Amino acid sequence: AQSVTQLGSHVSVSEGALVLLRCNYSSSVPPYLFWYVQYPNQGLQLLLKYTSAATLVKGINGFEAEFKKSETSFHLTKPSAHMSDAAEYFCAVTLGGASKIIFGSGTRLSIRP
Amino acid sequence: NAGVTQTPKFRVLKTGQSMTLLCAQDMNHEYMYWYRQDPGMGLRLIHYSVGEGTTAKGEVPDGYNVSRLKKQNFLLGLESAAPSQTSVYFCASSYSRDRGLDYGYTFGSGTRLTVV
C-alpha cells in the first residue's frame, strides 16, 4: 500500500527566506503525488501535482516540487517566503487507476516578519 | 458559486445523538469523498463513492454510514455519536479517476463537529 510521510509538523521561516517542506513516499509502483494547501478555516486547495511527466513540477504562488525516485521524495520549495504563505501543507499520494488519494499528516508553515 | 457545499458548518452533539452531514456538488463529478481531519493526523478517508448508488469504506469507516442516492449529493451519517468523533469533516469531489488526477479534488469548507 502507498503512504506519505511529512517530516516536521511545524516549520517556521523568516519572510524572504527559502521554504522547504519535506515529503517522502512509499509505493511499490510509480505514484502520482500532490501538494495541497489549507488556509485557516478553509478546505484544501491543489498546489501542484506530479503525474510522471516532468520531475520538476511548478505550482501556484511560486511553489515547486521535485520528484526524486532514488530518494522517494517529493519536497516542496519556494525561493522567497511571503507572509501570505502561512498555512498548512499536505503531501498526498495515489496510484494510477486508483480512486482515492492518501494524505500525509500535514506541515504547518509559519512566516516570521 | 460552483463547488462543494457542506451543511451544517458547525454542530454540537450530545453523546448518543444522531445526525447527518450533507455534501452537495454542482460540477457533475462522479467521485465523492468524506474525510475527517484531526490535529497531527492529517486527513483520513471515512467513506467514498465512485458513482450514484455506490459507496465504499475508507481508512476509518467505523461509526459512520453514507449514502449517494443522487449524483450531486453525498450524505454522512452518525447513528450514535461518540466523543471520539469530535473532528472537522471535509467532503471532496472529483471527476473519474484520470480526470480526477488531472484536476485534483475540490474540497468543501468543512463541518466542525463537537460531541460532548
Side-chain angles (χ1 to χ4, degrees), chain B residues 16-44:
Chain B
Q17 286 185 319
S18 64
M19 78 164 295
T20 300
L21 282 66
L22 171 63
C23 177
Q25 53 92 7
D26 58 5
M27 297 168 287
N28 202 33
H29 284 171
E30 291 89 358
Y31 291 3
M32 296 187 75
Y33 311 83
W34 275 108
Y35 286 89
R36 61 176 289 174
Q37 183 178 26
D38 302 291
M41 303 189 74
L43 277 78
R44 293 181 292 169

Side-chain angles (χ1 to χ4, degrees), chain A residues 32 36 38 49 97 99 101, chain B residues 33 35 37 97 101-102 105:
Chain A
Y32 292 162
Y36 281 80
Q38 183 182 31
K49 65 184 187 297
S99 54
I101 294 175
Chain B
Y33 311 83
Y35 286 89
Q37 183 178 26
R97 290 189 292 234
L101 292 173
D102 286 341
Y105 289 6

Side-chain angles (χ1 to χ4, degrees), chain B:
Chain B
N1 293 334
V4 176
T5 303
Q6 292 183 232
T7 53
K9 295 189 183 304
F10 303 93
R11 184 73 184 268
V12 178
L13 283 180
K14 293 183 178 179
T15 298
Q17 286 185 319
S18 64
M19 78 164 295
T20 300
L21 282 66
L22 171 63
C23 177
Q25 53 92 7
D26 58 5
M27 297 168 287
N28 202 33
H29 284 171
E30 291 89 358
Y31 291 3
M32 296 187 75
Y33 311 83
W34 275 108
Y35 286 89
R36 61 176 289 174
Q37 183 178 26
D38 302 291
M41 303 189 74
L43 277 78
R44 293 181 292 169
L45 182 64
I46 304 171
H47 287 281
Y48 65 102
S49 167
V50 299
E52 181 178 319
T54 74
T55 62
K57 293 181 180 180
E59 303 170 69
V60 289
D62 293 343
Y64 305 95
N65 56 75
V66 288
S67 64
R68 183 105 181 262
L69 299 180
K70 294 183 178 180
K71 185 177 183 178
Q72 63 268 33
N73 296 336
F74 195 31
L75 279 63
L76 177 70
L78 286 72
E79 291 188 348
S80 179
S84 62
Q85 294 177 304
T86 293
S87 187
V88 181
Y89 292 84
F90 285 99
C91 177
S93 68
S94 72
Y95 289 107
S96 61
R97 290 189 292 234
D98 292 339
R99 293 185 68 183
L101 292 173
D102 286 341
Y103 300 111
Y105 289 6
T106 299
F107 279 84
S109 57
T111 296
R112 188 172 296 273
L113 175 66
T114 302
V115 183
V116 297

